[in-house]
Each structure stands twice: as structure tokens, then as C-alpha cells.
Amino acid sequence: MLDGPTPTRRPAQARRMTSHARTAPNRDHFAAETEQFRRELLAHCYRLVGSAHDAEDLVQETYLRAWRFYGGFDGRASIRSWLYKIATNVCLTALQRQRIRVLPSGLSGPCDGPDRPPSSVAPDEVSWLEPLPDSWIAPADDDPAAVVVARESLRLALIASLQHLPARQRAILILREVLAFSAAETAEILDTTTAAVKSGLQRARARLNELEPEPEELLEPTDQRARALLDGYIAAFERSDANLLEQVLRTDATLEATPFREWQAGRAMCIQMLDAYVLGTPGDWRMIPTTANGQPAAVVYRRDGDGELRASGTVVLAPTAAGVSRVIAFEDPALVATFGFPDVLAD
């Protein structure tokens, strides 16, 4: 389910700081002790809330609170677990005011047939899951084990399933199985008992198994086969060639796109819908490869009435040895800037 290499944990003595009772905190000292955890805290907040932009705001709030209380930090816990306690509770408070974030497949079953264009959902009806650029959370030291853990725990299918867990169960599962905190440490972070943590983890595991009983074996985005599938998908759109999609998509592939309610299951249905309403003519689309959620992805541009290639959104693929099993498109022009690309692309 969430198996993977356990992150390296420093000995308790090494994690504790020798002098934490401060009356006049020093900003340079604070930054030196806390900045190294910013990327992993961003990934943690994203797992909890399912939005890259919300996660960024919540990490900022975490650091503001940490600075406010830094002078009273006494070192009874590691600085890392102290920051996770603040971040987790900031997220849980935010989740009390928010609807869960979903994908179209979380709203209803697949569409019977593409007899009409997909219908968009009003912004006030649904909160959509967002992709997370890998560049935001890539481990600074490029530790291979940390990279694998980060990728596997940020797959879009897993993030989508996590959103359907009650918030505290979600936090327990992430703290225990992704971040490898002990039951006692998790209880301390959540201000609860070890027994409550164990019970919550058991319920969270059972629910997650219902939502995603057999997680797929996805190819790493660095795998040549994964890159070939992404290149083929991009070529199919840029050439408006539905036949190319047959070489890329698995027979049982699914296709969904926010903010649209309908989604397709099965390669034939996916291609039929894309060919009828999306592909257009050669030159309408331009895509630039990137990675998101530990998966191959692309930022997407579409030619407008003036002939300019304008930001359209992003697409994330789930590559397997037999082909792409799932395509999730996010039609939100603002996401292109999130991935570090311009709003208008030079032709």
C-alpha cells in the first residue's frame, strides 16, 4: 500500500539541540535549524489537502507559527517532529473549513459514450485535486531512497484516495506509514493517545484498501519506457493523430479531466472522445515534458483565435509496462505558471 524504503532517522541525541530555551530568538539560527525541512513539509501538507497552492500557503503559516513560538521550544522533541506537529495541526484546522478535493472519477461512474462534449462543473460545486510539480519537493541531496519514497507517496491515485479518509485518519496514516513516525511520536503530534493512533491507522488502512485495493506498478518517470509513452502522447496531440494514441494507451486505460464531470474508461472510449472533441487539427496543441507527483507529465498550450499558443493546463500520465493506464488532465491555465512555464509560448 505505502511500502517503500524507510526514511533515514537520525539518532535522538543528534536530533536534539543543546540549547533551545531562548528568550530572544535569532532569525539566522531559526532558518539554519528549520529551512532544511521546508520541502518535506510542503509534501506533507500536499498529501493532507490535495492542493499545491494550499499546501504552499499552509507551509508558510507553519513557519510563521514556528517562528512565533521558537523562543519557547525546549528541545524535548526533535525540531523536525516539532515542525510536523505545527504543520499537521495547521492543515487539520484548514480542512475543517474545506470540502474534500476530488477527481471526476470520484464523483460518478464512467461515461456511457461520447455522444456530447464533456460538461464542466461550476467552481462552487466541486473542489478539484491539483497536481504537484516534482521540482517543488525534490530532495535537495538527491538521496535515491528519499526520492523513491517521495514519488510513491505522492502518486495521484494515492493522493485522490487519501482525500476520502477522515482528516485525522489521513494524518495518522501519513505520519505512520509515509514519514515513519512511531505511534508514540504520532500521538504527540496529534495530541492524542497511542491507542487512538493504532485504532485510527487500522481504520485508515482498511478504507484505503477499499478505495485502492491493488495499487499499480508504475514506471519511474526516469525509465526510458515511461518517457517513450509521454513522447507518444505528446506527438498524438501535436499531430492530432488518434491512431498514435492506440500505441500509447492501455486497453483498459481511463481518461479524466478537471473541471469536467464525465470521464472515460477503456481505450476505445478515450480515443473516441478525444478525436471527436479535443484533438482538433495539427498545430492546435503544444506540450512540454515535465514531471508531477512522481509521474511523467506535460504542461499544455493550445492555439487561440489569434494564432498564439496560450497556457491551457497540465496532464499527468500513469505509465506501466503495458502502456499508459490513466490520463488525468487539469484544464487550468494558472497551473502552467506553477510549473515554471510562461503563459504564452513562442511558436
Side-chain angles (χ1 to χ4, degrees):
M1 181 173 57
L2 293 176
D3 294 336
T6 301
T8 303
R9 305 294 299 276
R10 291 181 294 166
Q13 184 177 2
R15 293 199 311 262
R16 293 171 185 263
M17 302 301 159
T18 56
S19 177
H20 279 293
R22 304 179 178 90
T23 55
N26 179 279
R27 287 191 179 274
D28 291 339
H29 197 177
F30 173 76
E33 286 194 310
T34 63
E35 278 301 313
Q36 61 185 305
F37 303 110
R38 184 178 288 271
R39 287 175 180 244
E40 62 178 275
L41 288 170
L42 179 60
H44 177 57
C45 291
Y46 173 74
R47 294 183 190 103
L48 282 168
V49 302
S51 162
H53 294 101
D54 286 355
E56 193 174 35
D57 291 342
L58 292 167
V59 169
Q60 184 66 18
E61 176 64 21
T62 295
Y63 274 83
L64 288 173
R65 292 192 186 188
W67 167 248
R68 191 180 310 150
F69 297 108
Y70 185 58
F73 177 60
D74 57 13
R76 285 180 296 177
S78 69
I79 193 78
R80 179 175 181 264
S81 61
W82 181 66
L83 288 170
Y84 268 100
K85 178 169 186 170
I86 298 172
T88 301
N89 285 286
V90 165
C91 289
L92 291 176
T93 299
L95 287 169
Q96 293 175 4
R97 306 187 298 268
Q98 298 176 359
R99 292 175 297 198
I100 67 168
R101 290 184 173 271
V102 298
L103 292 171
S105 55
L107 298 177
S108 62
C111 183
D112 293 334
D115 54 350
R116 63 187 183 281
S119 56
S120 60
V121 180
D124 60 345
E125 290 184 35
V126 175
S127 292
W128 297 111
L129 195 71
E130 292 180 356
L132 179 71
D134 280 3
S135 59
W136 283 23
I137 48 85
D141 57 359
D142 293 323
D143 176 55
V147 170
V148 170
V149 170
R151 284 177 179 164
E152 291 184 352
S153 64
L154 288 166
R155 304 291 196 203
L156 269 175
L158 175 60
I159 298 299
S161 296
L162 286 174
Q163 306 311 302
H164 291 276
L165 298 178
R168 285 183 70 83
Q169 284 185 25
R170 197 184 315 169
I172 289 171
L173 186 79
I174 294 168
L175 290 167
R176 293 284 287 117
E177 299 211 335
V178 175
L179 298 167
F181 282 107
S182 68
E185 289 172 318
T186 302
E188 168 63 23
I189 288 171
L190 293 173
D191 288 323
T192 188
T193 65
T194 302
V197 167
K198 292 179 178 178
S199 175
L201 179 60
Q202 195 171 34
R203 291 195 297 271
R205 283 172 173 164
R207 178 60 176 144
L208 200 62
N209 285 334
E210 292 175 5
L211 294 165
E212 193 185 15
E214 295 182 6
E216 286 188 306
E217 290 291 330
L218 299 186
L219 300 174
E220 289 293 317
T222 53
D223 190 306
Q224 290 184 348
R225 294 169 295 173
R227 181 54 191 264
L229 290 170
L230 176 62
D231 289 345
Y233 187 86
I234 290 174
F237 266 77
E238 295 187 345
R239 301 176 193 174
S240 300
D241 189 341
N243 292 328
L244 275 176
L245 289 173
E246 290 196 34
Q247 302 172 33
V248 173
L249 300 180
R250 224 165 60 177
T251 306
D252 60 349
T254 61
L255 168 68
E256 52 191 314
T258 64
F260 302 102
R261 186 178 301 276
E262 292 84 7
W263 61 283
Q264 285 69 40
R267 181 172 61 197
M269 293 287 289
C270 296
I271 294 176
Q272 189 177 351
M273 192 282 295
L274 290 172
D275 196 25
Y277 302 111
V278 181
L279 288 180
T281 59
D284 283 352
W285 299 93
R286 187 70 56 81
M287 297 186 184
I288 303 176
T290 185
T291 55
N293 295 81
Q295 298 171 226
V299 294
V300 182
Y301 291 85
R302 190 169 194 174
R303 199 173 299 279
D304 64 12
D306 297 327
E308 289 191 307
L309 288 165
R310 292 197 174 275
S312 176
T314 61
V315 62
V316 182
L317 307 185
T320 72
V324 173
S325 65
R326 190 175 189 183
V327 178
I328 304 177
F330 301 87
E331 295 202 11
D332 180 358
L335 286 173
V336 172
T338 298
F339 280 78
F341 292 88
D343 291 334
V344 178
L345 190 65
D347 212 358

